Amino acid sequence: MALALLVSSSCLPAFSCQRKVFRVRAVASEDFAAVKPEEANKVKLGGSELRVTRLGIGAWSWGDTSYWNDFDWDDRKMKAAKAAFDVSIDLGITFFDTAEVYGSRLALGAESSETLLGRFIKERKEMDPNVEVAVATKFAALPWRLGRGSVVKALKDSLCRLGISSVDLYQLHWPGLWGNEGYLDGLGDAFEQGLVQAVGVSNYSEKRLRDAYEKLKKRGIPLASNQVNYSLIYRAPEQNGVKAACDELGVTLIAYSPIAQGALTGKYTPENPPTGPRGRIYTPEYLIKLQPLINRIGEIGEEYGKSNTQVVLNWLISQDNVLPIPGAKTPQQAEEFAGVLGWQLTDDEINELRSLASEAGQPIGFPVERL
């Protein structure tokens, strides 16, 4: 989840664009091939009526030039993202998470993630009008946004960029420095106006989560989800009460950065750390500490015929009430994610990996978690 403070204004005023508007919902095909997630691999988000695939796709990197893509976005990367979208749909993963600040058009060379996702949906529906996709996006709690109306207005701008009439899940991206009561009122208004099927929050602490849950409950609106940074090596939600509160309240925990931005895939080593801002989190010194865990993940993967990525995502799903949304930049990654479902790590393997991860230590998280 990106924390860029630049928001696309390409669709102002709301609904002024002339794009054909589609309605997209989370309804999977009934005749998937064996490799595809079946209806049994779909879950309800919290107490809402929305059902989505057991694993989703994060679109944070699509169009971004501030954190991903080596600060450059071009046609080749756009085509790879489109192929990742299509392969995900082909293999039955139909839940996509984006945000208005992902790939802001005001950032040099960037393209809005919402616009890209909307384009991909439109092109896919032109080939297959019956395809149905679940879309989640987010409201940026920028300091100058005040009151409940700012939420509804931002949502309508997002709908314009996406080219759809409503979204399945609308989330508050992070707690505001102020105005949070109004933001929650705005979420409720969007739900009651039929602009969203379910509402959620993101980067909310246990206390903020409980407060949001109770405020929406008074209006008869279920809080569907809390999207937080959660992976095998970043387990702050287990330590700060967020995971337990989600389980208690029946709120789905959506896990972003579930493969630790690539650090758990085995792709990076102390000699070959990630580039850009990720390199400041997953330093060579930290990657040295991580190697015993990475090696064991690889060994377990060999026993199942699975990749490191598939093992660590399966570990997350095994925690129950957790829905990972790894980012797919290429069709190969999307295909890999489809192999996460349909099998299960043993309890001993789950506990062993947790123990090894604890020995490696926890990387830094995003400061908004502490707002």
Side-chain angles (χ1 to χ4, degrees):
M1 73 107 222
L3 297 181
L5 295 183
L6 297 175
V7 182
S8 172
S9 58
S10 60
C11 284
L12 298 178
F15 293 111
S16 63
C17 57
Q18 300 300 311
R19 299 173 63 193
K20 183 177 179 181
V21 174
F22 294 99
R23 173 71 183 116
V24 290
R25 294 175 53 249
V27 178
S29 170
E30 295 180 358
D31 58 350
F32 289 147
V35 296
K36 300 177 181 179
E38 299 180 2
E39 187 66 22
N41 278 322
K42 298 182 77 174
V43 293
K44 278 210 316 179
L45 283 186
S48 75
E49 295 304 312
L50 176 62
R51 290 181 62 84
V52 299
T53 45
R54 192 70 185 79
L55 180 141
I57 298 295
W60 176 8
S61 67
W62 294 0
D64 178 74
T65 60
S66 61
Y67 195 91
W68 299 98
N69 301 306
D70 294 321
F71 307 103
D72 178 61
W73 182 254
D74 56 27
D75 186 63
R76 178 181 61 83
K77 291 173 182 175
M78 188 277 291
K79 289 179 179 178
K82 173 61 164 60
F85 171 84
D86 283 328
V87 168
S88 298
I89 297 293
D90 291 342
L91 297 179
I93 300 176
T94 59
F95 179 45
F96 294 85
D97 178 86
T98 184
E100 61 176 331
V101 295
Y102 292 169
S104 167
R105 74 181 187 90
L106 299 181
L108 184 64
E111 189 167 2
S112 166
S113 174
E114 288 181 326
T115 301
L116 287 169
L117 178 57
R119 184 189 308 163
F120 298 165
I121 293 171
K122 177 178 180 291
E123 292 173 355
R124 182 73 182 218
K125 289 186 75 70
E126 288 173 348
M127 295 188 301
D128 179 7
N130 295 319
V131 69
E132 300 196 30
V133 182
V135 174
T137 192
K138 309 181 195 75
F139 167 83
L142 302 170
W144 55 87
R145 284 180 161 172
L146 302 173
R148 64 205 303 167
S150 64
V151 177
V152 175
K153 181 180 183 302
L155 171 58
K156 289 180 178 179
D157 291 342
S158 287
L159 292 174
C160 182
R161 286 186 289 270
L162 286 160
I164 56 181
S165 61
S166 66
V167 293
D168 295 85
L169 176 67
Y170 196 51
Q171 307 151 93
L172 302 181
H173 205 153
W174 60 83
L177 297 175
W178 47 74
N180 288 290
E181 291 292 309
Y183 296 155
L184 289 167
D185 287 334
L187 272 189
D189 294 344
F191 181 86
E192 291 175 349
Q193 291 175 28
L195 297 175
V196 302
Q197 188 174 344
V199 296
V201 293
S202 181
N203 296 297
Y204 267 46
S205 66
E206 178 188 359
K207 182 181 185 305
R208 288 191 181 277
L209 175 67
R210 291 184 182 277
D211 290 346
Y213 176 89
E214 291 298 332
K215 186 173 181 62
L216 290 168
K217 182 180 178 181
K218 290 178 181 177
R219 296 178 65 171
I221 301 171
L223 180 63
S225 59
N226 185 16
Q227 184 177 144
V228 295
N229 187 359
Y230 186 33
S231 70
L232 176 58
I233 56 173
Y234 190 81
R235 301 196 309 282
E238 299 176 359
Q239 301 153 3
N240 59 22
V242 166
K243 175 66 166 65
C246 285
D247 294 345
E248 175 193 336
L249 299 175
V251 173
T252 299
L253 191 156
I254 299 177
Y256 71 79
S257 295
I259 54 177
Q261 300 178 27
L264 288 171
T265 65
K267 174 181 179 181
Y268 300 111
T269 65
E271 297 75 31
N272 178 41
T275 58
R278 289 180 296 159
R280 295 194 292 270
I281 301 173
Y282 305 104
T283 62
E285 293 76 18
Y286 181 72
L287 291 172
I288 289 173
K289 297 178 182 178
L290 208 56
Q291 287 311 295
L293 173 64
I294 298 297
N295 292 339
R296 184 58 183 139
I297 290 170
E299 291 170 356
I300 292 174
E302 288 183 5
E303 295 172 9
Y304 286 93
K306 298 292 182 179
S307 68
N308 283 33
T309 297
Q310 291 167 333
V311 170
V312 297
L313 290 174
N314 191 276
W315 184 93
L316 268 181
I317 289 174
S318 299
Q319 306 311 305
D320 293 329
N321 193 38
V322 176
L323 195 162
I325 50 167
K329 297 168 70 175
T330 68
Q332 292 80 14
Q333 289 175 331
E335 185 173 3
E336 186 176 24
F337 298 152
V340 172
L341 303 175
W343 61 285
Q344 178 72 55
L345 292 168
T346 68
D347 289 344
D348 287 344
E349 290 164 342
I350 291 169
N351 293 332
E352 180 187 7
L353 291 177
R354 182 188 298 275
S355 177
L356 286 171
S358 296
E359 292 176 10
Q362 187 162 277
I364 60 174
F366 291 102
V368 291
E369 297 172 320
R370 297 186 289 275
L371 286 177

